[in-house]
Amino acid sequence: MNKITIIGAGRVGETTAQILAEKELCREIALLDVREGIPEGIALDILQTGPFFEFDCSVNGSNDPQILRDSELVIVTAGLARKPGMSRSDVLEANVRIIDAVTDQILEYAPDAMVLMVSNPVDTLTYRFAQRSGWERRRIFGQAGVLDASRMASFIAQETGFSTLDITTMVLGGHGDTMVPVPRFCTINGIPISTFISEERIAAIMERTRQGGAEILALRKNSSAYDAPGAAVAAMVDAIVNNRRRLLSCVALLEGEYGETDLAMGVPCILGEKGMESIVELSLNPGERADFDRSVASVRGDIDRLRAISSTQELE
C-alpha cells in the first residue's frame, strides 16, 4: 500500500502510526489533526525512530485535510476520549459531530479509500459513516473484536500459564459492556479452554474481558488504553495490505447476517486486500444467541440516540 492516513493524532493515532511505520505496511503515513503543530511534531518524532527500527517509509503530519489525498486507507481515531466512570456511549454526542466533519473531509479528498473506524462508540460511528457516505460496506469497517479478543487471550494466558501464541479467542457483538466473548470458540492450540479452566473462572474471564478497557482507564486515570488498540489496528491493516484474508472479529455492516439489518457491530469477518470481503455466520447456541441479542439491543439503542442527535442538529 502506498499511503495510509490516520485522522486523530492522539495516543491511539500516534501508537498506530509508530507500529505501521515499524512494520513498513505502506510507503507513506500521514497524520491529520486539528491541533496546531501536534501532527507535524508526532510525525517527526516517529520518523526519527527509523534508524533504530530500520524502516524508511515517510511520515508526515498536517492540520490541512488535503493531506488525505491519494490515501488508500484512512484510519479514524479522532474524538473525545472517555474518562473514568464513563461508558463508550457517553461520548456519542460529542463524537458524532467530529465524525461527521471527518466523513465530509474523506469524501472530498479520499473518495476511493477504505475506512477503518476506531473512534468510540465504534459500532455506532461506523454505522454513521456508512449512512453519511453511502459507500459499499466492504470499504467500511471498525476495530473492536480484534482488541477484545486479544484482551481475552491475555487473561486466559494469565490464568493457565500457557503462551498467548497458542491461544485463539472470539468476541462478538458491540464494543462495550454487552460484548459477547464466546468461550465455545476459544482454544489453546486447538484444545477447548474448558479442558484447562473451570466454568467459574471462564465466566470471570468473560466479565473481565467486557470491562477490559474500563479496567485500564480506572488504573491509568488520565488516559484510556492505546498500546493494545494501536496493535489491534495494525493487525487489521496487515491483513489488508498483505491480502492475508484473515478471519478477524470486526465491526461490519450487517445485511441479513445473524438475522440483522441496518446495523453495524462486531462479527467474524474475512479481511483482505478488498477490505471486509465477507462475514462468517457462526451457529450460536441459545445462551450465546441471547447474549448476542442483548448486545444488538444495546447498539440499536445508541443508533436511536444517534438519530435523535441528528434531528436536533438539523433544527439548530
Side-chain angles (χ1 to χ4, degrees), residues 6-14 31-33 35 38-39 42 77-78:
I6 300 169
I7 301 181
R11 286 173 167 168
V12 174
E14 180 175 356
L31 285 158
L32 173 63
D33 196 282
R35 297 170 298 166
I38 297 296
I42 290 172
T77 69

Side-chain angles (χ1 to χ4, degrees), residues 12 16 20 75 77 116 118 143 146 228-238:
V12 174
T16 299
L20 297 185
I75 302 167
T77 69
L116 198 172
V118 184
Q143 190 288 118
V146 177
V233 172
M236 295 175 67
V237 174
D238 175 76

Side-chain angles (χ1 to χ4, degrees), residues 1 25 29 80 98 103 107 168 183 185 217 247 259 286 299-300:
M1 188 168 284
L25 291 175
I29 298 169
L80 181 70
I98 294 170
T103 301
L107 292 176
T168 302
F185 294 105
L217 181 58
L247 176 59
V299 175
R300 287 201 181 280

